[in-house]
Amino acid sequence: MQNRSYKIGIVSGKLLLRKIAFSSNVQNVITIGRNQNCDISIQNAQISGSHAQLIHNLNNELYIVDLISTNGTFVNGQKITSNVPYPIGINDKIEFSKKGEIHLTFNPENYSSIPILELNNSKQSSDILGATNILEKLNLKSKIIIGRSNECDVVLPDQKSISRKHVSIEKKGDAIILTDLGSLNGTFLNGRRVVGSAKISITDSIYIGKFLIRLQGKATNLSDEVAIKTEYISKRFSNGKIGLNECSFEVPSKSLTAVMGPSGCGKSTLLKALNGDSPPSSGRVFISGLDLTSNYDYLKTQIGYVPQDDIVHRELTIQQSLFYAAKLRLDHASSEEIEIKVKQVLSQLNITHIKNNLVGEISGGQRKRVSIAVEILTDPLILFLDEPTSPLDPQTIKEFLEILQDLARNGTTVLMVTHKPEDLNYMDSVIFMAEGGYLVHQGNSRNYLDYFRARNTIEVYSELALPEAKSWIDKRPIHSGGGKQFIANSQFKRKVNYFSQFWWLTIRYFNIKLNDKLNTAIMIGQAPIIALLVSVIFDQVSQAVPFLMAVSAIWFGTNNAAREIVSESPIYKRERMFNQGIFAYIFSKVIVLSTFAAVQSLLFTLIIYIRFNGEHPSWNDPLFSFNWMLLLSISATLMGLLLSAIVSSTEKVMTIVPIALIPQIMLAGVIAKINSSLVEVLSYFTLSRWGTEGFSSIQKTISSPNMIVDEKTIKFNEKGVLEKDKLIFVQDGYKEIEAIPELTNNFHDSYNDIFGEMAGEFKLDVLIIVILSFLFFTGIYIALKQKDSIKIR
């Protein structure tokens, strides 16, 4: 059978719909489905959009893969597992549903046909894996197409990350032009994502999915390279502590490797050094032969990383989490393509049955699977996992590790930190770390006890704790020799569709808020509650009312935003490592929080207007008041986001929120008169100072107690002079006074000296609020930028 060709027919009843010819020594992948972009499109209700694939390799072996079809794929009457290649031969019966209405035959000549599309994969114009170099092809035709379709001039048989027609290379005069054809996962030139077209030369490296292509020579499948190679890497933290001592090693591709050792020995530090989360202080890391730092823009799309903390929002359903992650990471994918991909990943990790559950309602083990599902949406070369089995029970661990084995069989290298010895039963190799950040052993996962001359893993751990570890440290491997020549390209700025990111980040954030119904209701409910209290307590529009409106606006914005960045810092950091833009992230937060602030401001000003309408004075210009309250809330939102960006935990941010808010009350010039120039200058940096003045400008007049002298206390001394210090004033109703002079009377005299004619003017209040907002925004950007490990542009 090894020397024969296959002729296969796709049959409906007794009619031959399509015929395919697979020739010896020619590799190809054929997608069958109802979608027009499939290699073979079958318009039948039993066929899914992308139903199945036929895979023919260079050994003349034929496989069928079900692509999570609705009606299933059946081999000899048994439904096969989705996404698992199943070997088939001429004696097998293959059907595309239980009814068997559409099926395959190895004897297409026995059926009468409708007009046939013959797909003969031995045609000379198609080149598998670049057997003919591209320059030679360009001598024969001016334009060649590269992709996974057999119609392409160069066929790259990767059904996951390669589009049907992925990229073109065209000769125009003396120039050679590379053009991305709207591919799903992008095309990278020397590590830079190509948007549109780019001029290329013989020395350039083109990355398409997992393949490295040059104008001369064959394409290189990076998944067949050594997955990880390190050269003398070490890690020293800013406080001088050594987290990782110098080590060099290699990790084979498509393998499962565990990293083990006592607590604090540097396991997570090593993992982060390898994936770019916290790069080594010295030495070099190569991923599939490419230098990690200089090729990070490309490699970050080929690396999956699940830290100990969950990287999915608890307020979203599993389906929503994967959909939005795909929209953010696969920015060229259509919604239909993403739905297919999400469906595949859900099936691959056995979580389809809970796809509509909120992430916060599922178990820890299921959440870990969802985090991994997010990472394998992009079919990474390597998947890094930090203690994924820690929260799992034994049965769940077994299922989880079997999933990792499937990922490795399908081409993904897995490196995971673990402290459970039983995990090694599923691993190919193990790396042991000793206390102090020393790598002391790498070897087969079955033989480590012999190496350490131990009876069990507990004894190994005892040997790796200081001071016992010293003998193993002295004999540790520093360099695991040799290896091929590795590639270090220059890093370029990757162009990302930041508007698309902003759009989907905003939609996702709205869904998070709307799904978290209780907290959102409490957040919005603050406004009417506080406004009603103001309405009940105050009979007149005194100076306290504009002051409390300003303070309330500041409270709404700050309180709404203070937890919003720090609470999702693991998610932000992982998405930032992949491709997330800081501006898109900040603006998505501001837009969503400002929307809720607008609802709060509307409810607050509406209640205040209704309460004081018809009073003397009444509340002036409710629309103007709403706009001013909203602007204050947005500025306070930026202040809250700044607090959230500079701290490391939600506990810390809630500790500093009062420190930020209490001065807003003290320095507004209402609670106490500002008596010194220093305090006056400090008040300029508070939103409440300018917010209260702005509301006073809008209101124009306020009510003030009308104080008169009690006639019984009027006395004159012996000289006939009125004894003013003994007079007693009593209130006789209220009087209307101008709001701004009454307020500015509480400010220091230097206010007028500094701002001159603008002092007390509304335009000054607007200007200062805008300046403070800009400073807050700049602070957020700087704080988030400083969280980057490798330089991300």
Side-chain angles (χ1 to χ4, degrees):
M1 186 179 295
Q2 294 297 316
N3 295 319
R4 64 172 296 167
S5 62
Y6 290 106
K7 289 187 177 180
I8 298 175
I10 300 178
V11 177
S12 174
K14 295 184 178 181
L15 288 177
L16 179 65
L17 303 179
R18 296 288 188 272
K19 187 168 69 174
I20 313 165
F22 289 106
S23 299
S24 301
N25 302 318
V26 178
Q27 179 176 338
N28 213 337
V29 177
I30 300 296
T31 302
I32 302 168
R34 201 170 60 249
N35 292 339
Q36 292 296 325
N37 61 353
C38 291
D39 298 303
I40 295 181
S41 178
I42 305 293
Q43 299 305 309
N44 186 286
Q46 298 297 315
I47 302 294
S48 296
S50 293
H51 194 106
Q53 285 178 330
L54 289 171
I55 301 175
H56 182 257
N57 64 22
L58 295 176
N59 295 324
N60 205 28
E61 296 168 333
L62 193 61
Y63 295 85
I64 191 164
V65 182
D66 182 82
L67 300 178
I68 320 180
S69 61
T70 302
N71 294 302
T73 303
F74 294 77
V75 176
N76 300 323
Q78 297 294 318
K79 185 177 182 179
I80 64 175
T81 303
S82 295
N83 287 324
V84 176
Y86 195 94
I88 57 174
I90 58 175
N91 296 319
D92 290 318
K93 182 180 180 182
I94 297 95
E95 300 166 306
F96 292 114
S97 70
K98 194 171 184 180
K99 295 180 180 180
E101 182 178 334
I102 308 292
H103 62 274
L104 293 185
T105 177
F106 286 89
N107 298 295
E109 294 82 3
N110 297 340
Y111 295 84
S112 58
S113 63
I114 60 175
I116 297 172
L117 172 63
E118 175 98 18
L119 295 177
N120 187 340
N121 297 290
S122 62
K123 64 179 183 178
Q124 295 301 311
S125 63
S126 180
D127 174 26
I128 304 298
L129 290 181
T132 306
N133 73 48
I134 292 173
L135 282 182
E136 290 179 357
K137 283 183 170 293
L138 289 174
N139 289 330
L140 300 176
K141 55 190 303 189
S142 62
K143 183 177 181 180
I144 65 170
I145 305 296
I146 302 173
R148 63 177 171 82
S149 171
N150 69 303
E151 299 173 0
C152 294
D153 301 288
V154 176
V155 179
L156 301 178
D158 184 344
Q159 67 272 23
K160 292 182 178 180
S161 56
I162 308 291
S163 298
R164 292 186 69 248
K165 293 184 178 180
H166 198 105
V167 68
S168 70
I169 298 179
E170 186 174 6
K171 192 171 184 179
K172 293 184 177 181
D174 294 332
I176 299 177
I177 306 299
L178 174 75
T179 303
D180 183 86
L181 301 176
S183 62
L184 180 64
N185 290 294
T187 304
F188 293 80
L189 176 62
N190 299 325
R192 172 190 179 183
R193 184 162 188 162
V194 176
V195 179
S197 301
K199 187 177 179 180
I200 58 174
S201 66
I202 293 178
T203 59
D204 288 329
S205 298
I206 305 165
Y207 300 99
I208 302 175
K210 297 175 174 61
F211 292 92
L212 166 61
I213 298 175
R214 292 191 176 89
L215 291 178
Q216 289 183 316
K218 292 184 178 182
T220 301
N221 189 339
L222 295 176
S223 63
D224 293 333
E225 302 293 302
V226 172
I228 304 171
K229 177 182 173 65
T230 68
E231 291 182 350
Y232 305 104
I233 63 170
S234 65
K235 180 68 177 182
R236 181 185 292 271
F237 296 106
S238 57
N239 61 5
K241 180 182 177 182
I242 296 177
L244 180 66
N245 277 278
E246 190 175 277
C247 62
S248 299
F249 61 91
E250 294 181 2
V251 175
S253 63
K254 305 176 185 178
S255 64
L256 287 88
T257 301
V259 181
M260 300 186 72
S263 297
C265 67
K267 300 187 295 293
S268 295
T269 301
L270 175 63
L271 200 72
K272 293 177 180 180
L274 298 178
N275 62 34
D277 188 7
S278 181
S281 306
S282 61
R284 302 174 76 188
V285 176
F286 297 91
I287 302 295
S288 295
L290 305 175
D291 181 83
L292 176 63
T293 302
S294 57
N295 294 280
Y296 187 68
D297 194 53
Y298 165 68
L299 287 176
K300 68 184 180 182
T301 67
Q302 302 298 319
I303 291 174
Y305 174 38
V306 180
Q308 293 184 33
D309 296 318
D310 293 328
I311 54 171
V312 284
H313 292 93
R314 289 173 171 258
E315 299 83 4
L316 296 176
T317 66
I318 296 170
Q319 178 93 15
Q320 288 174 328
S321 296
L322 296 182
F323 178 80
Y324 291 128
K327 279 294 186 183
L328 291 169
R329 299 188 184 199
L330 304 173
D331 52 6
H332 285 70
S334 67
S335 293
E336 183 180 6
E337 289 172 320
I338 284 176
E339 286 175 7
I340 293 171
K341 186 63 181 178
V342 168
K343 188 177 180 182
Q344 290 175 349
V345 170
L346 287 170
S347 175
Q348 193 172 359
L349 294 176
N350 298 327
I351 50 177
T352 303
H353 61 291
I354 57 171
K355 65 180 182 179
N356 294 319
N357 291 26
L358 291 175
V359 173
E361 296 175 351
I362 61 179
S363 67
Q366 290 171 327
R367 283 200 305 275
K368 193 62 67 176
R369 291 192 195 190
V370 177
S371 294
I372 292 176
V374 167
E375 293 302 306
I376 66 174
L377 284 168
T378 54
D379 303 304
L381 286 167
I382 302 176
L383 180 61
F384 294 93
L385 306 172
D386 199 347
E387 299 203 26
T389 59
S390 295
L392 310 185
D393 60 82
Q395 176 59 30
T396 307
I397 288 176
K398 177 179 180 296
E399 296 174 0
F400 178 79
L401 293 175
E402 286 174 347
I403 289 172
L404 296 187
Q405 287 181 322
D406 288 339
L407 289 175
R409 279 193 292 268
N410 289 327
T412 299
T413 303
V414 179
L415 185 74
M416 82 175 207
V417 170
T418 181
H419 64 270
K420 294 187 175 183
E422 56 269 26
D423 291 353
L424 294 182
N425 296 327
Y426 298 84
M427 298 289 113
D428 299 313
S429 61
V430 61
I431 292 172
F432 273 98
M433 306 285 294
E435 193 173 339
Y438 294 93
L439 191 156
V440 295
H441 175 64
Q442 180 186 15
N444 189 288
S445 59
R446 309 293 191 273
N447 302 332
Y448 69 96
L449 292 177
D450 293 337
Y451 177 82
F452 288 105
R453 301 188 295 274
R455 291 171 296 179
N456 52 55
T457 310
I458 295 176
E459 291 186 1
V460 174
Y461 273 49
S462 298
E463 289 289 314
L464 298 181
L466 295 173
E468 287 79 4
K470 189 176 185 309
S471 61
W472 301 106
I473 292 171
D474 291 341
K475 60 187 293 188
R476 67 194 172 101
I478 298 297
H479 185 66
S480 53
K484 58 174 287 182
Q485 180 67 38
F486 288 84
I487 305 164
N489 295 322
S490 300
Q491 187 184 46
F492 291 86
K493 181 178 179 180
R494 176 186 176 185
K495 294 183 180 179
V496 178
N497 187 343
Y498 291 117
F499 179 79
S500 176
Q501 281 193 359
F502 161 73
W503 174 259
W504 289 110
L505 284 169
T506 302
I507 297 298
R508 182 179 72 177
Y509 193 26
F510 266 121
N511 270 283
I512 289 170
K513 289 298 183 183
L514 295 176
N515 285 354
D516 192 6
K517 295 180 178 61
L518 179 59
N519 281 334
T520 300
I522 292 173
M523 177 177 67
I524 293 176
Q526 295 176 74
I529 291 172
I530 298 174
L532 287 170
L533 285 173
V534 172
S535 299
V536 170
I537 293 172
F538 296 96
D539 295 328
Q540 302 287 329
V541 181
S542 65
Q543 187 67 66
V545 175
F547 166 68
L548 288 174
M549 288 190 71
V551 171
S552 296
I554 296 164
W555 164 257
F556 296 152
T558 306
N559 186 61
N560 293 351
R563 290 178 291 266
E564 296 307 293
I565 293 178
V566 68
S567 64
E568 61 177 26
S569 56
I571 301 171
Y572 165 77
K573 188 166 187 180
R574 178 62 197 116
E575 292 182 342
R576 174 67 178 153
M577 285 175 65
F578 192 89
N579 68 349
Q580 186 166 275
I582 295 178
F583 285 117
Y585 180 73
I586 297 174
F587 280 121
S588 72
K589 293 291 184 190
V590 173
I591 290 297
V592 174
L593 293 173
S594 296
T595 301
F596 288 106
V599 175
Q600 291 172 311
S601 300
L602 178 63
L603 292 173
F604 199 106
T605 52
L606 185 61
I607 291 172
I608 293 297
Y609 174 70
I610 293 173
R611 167 63 182 85
F612 294 109
N613 185 35
E615 298 289 339
H616 297 286
S618 63
W619 188 258
N620 287 337
D621 206 334
L623 180 59
F624 203 173
S625 298
F626 161 75
N627 289 330
W628 182 240
M629 191 171 195
L630 177 58
L631 180 61
L632 276 179
S633 295
I634 293 173
S635 186
T637 295
L638 290 168
M639 183 171 71
L641 290 175
L642 175 60
L643 299 178
S644 193
I646 62 178
V647 297
S648 58
S649 69
T650 53
E651 292 79 11
K652 290 179 181 178
V653 77
M654 296 316 296
T655 300
I656 64 174
V657 162
I659 299 175
L661 290 179
I662 290 176
Q664 306 289 334
I665 299 173
M666 300 172 63
L667 299 175
V670 175
I671 297 297
K673 183 179 176 65
I674 299 176
N675 291 317
S676 74
S677 57
L678 175 60
V679 177
E680 175 72 18
V681 172
L682 289 176
S683 74
Y684 296 159
F685 295 94
T686 64
L687 296 172
S688 60
R689 157 72 182 252
W690 308 104
T692 302
E693 187 174 279
F695 275 120
S696 296
S697 295
I698 295 170
Q699 180 57 23
K700 294 184 174 59
T701 61
I702 58 172
S703 178
S704 179
N706 186 30
M707 306 302 295
I708 63 173
V709 178
D710 185 349
E711 294 180 358
K712 297 178 181 179
T713 65
I714 298 176
K715 293 183 179 180
F716 296 89
N717 60 19
E718 298 173 348
K719 298 180 179 180
V721 178
L722 181 66
E723 296 180 348
K724 294 181 181 181
D725 57 332
K726 295 182 180 180
L727 295 180
I728 297 176
F729 290 85
V730 295
Q731 182 175 336
D732 181 22
Y734 292 90
K735 61 180 178 179
E736 288 190 36
I737 60 174
E738 293 185 17
I740 287 297
E742 179 70 10
L743 177 64
T744 56
N745 187 52
N746 289 331
F747 298 155
H748 192 262
D749 294 340
S750 59
Y751 178 43
N752 291 315
D753 297 335
I754 294 174
F755 293 101
E757 293 182 356
M758 289 188 68
E761 294 288 329
F762 184 73
K763 59 185 178 183
L764 176 63
D765 304 324
V766 174
L767 176 63
I768 300 297
I769 293 297
V770 170
I771 290 174
L772 290 175
S773 299
F774 175 78
L775 293 176
F776 295 147
F777 187 95
T778 304
I780 298 167
Y781 179 85
I782 293 172
L784 291 177
K785 188 67 176 175
Q786 288 179 339
K787 296 179 186 292
D788 291 345
S789 299
I790 289 181
K791 185 177 181 181
I792 304 173
R793 305 187 186 188

